[in-house]
Amino acid sequence: MTKAELIGVMADEAGVTKAAAAKALEAYTAAVAKELKKSGKLGLVGFGTFSVVKRKAREGRNPQTGKTIKIAAKKVVKFKAGKALADKVK
């Protein structure tokens, strides 16, 4: 599903315009990003938990040349589905 398709579904389900749904989706993603940057964790009961984890620096390989390269340490976002969401997907 693309972002445009998601906005269309949100608009239909909520009975609002696509512009309003797009604005709501943008506000949601901005709020999630802001909270993850601030505290590093965001939990939505019944949906799941977003958290920020640190990846260590490591060595990798360039697939074209096979040469060893260094991959820097960085922070990444991790998502763990809640029980209700996991049960719906089964």
Side-chain angles (χ1 to χ4, degrees), residues 13-63:
E13 293 288 324
V16 295
T17 65
K18 286 185 180 182
K23 195 170 185 179
L25 182 60
E26 290 297 326
Y28 169 75
T29 55
V32 168
K34 185 178 179 182
E35 184 61 27
L36 287 175
K37 187 170 180 121
K38 184 174 87 174
S39 69
K41 193 167 187 180
L42 173 75
L44 300 170
V45 177
F47 185 68
T49 303
F50 295 94
S51 59
V52 176
V53 294
K54 292 181 182 178
R55 276 200 188 150
K56 294 180 183 179
R58 62 193 193 279
E59 287 188 355
R61 294 205 177 267
N62 180 334

Side-chain angles (χ1 to χ4, degrees), residues 44-89:
L44 300 170
V45 177
F47 185 68
T49 303
F50 295 94
S51 59
V52 176
V53 294
K54 292 181 182 178
R55 276 200 188 150
K56 294 180 183 179
R58 62 193 193 279
E59 287 188 355
R61 294 205 177 267
N62 180 334
Q64 290 181 338
T65 63
K67 187 175 180 181
T68 302
I69 58 172
K70 291 183 180 180
I71 301 171
K74 65 179 180 177
K75 294 179 182 179
V76 295
V77 177
K78 179 181 164 186
F79 177 75
K80 182 172 186 223
K83 185 175 180 344
L85 178 61
D87 289 344
K88 287 180 182 178
V89 174

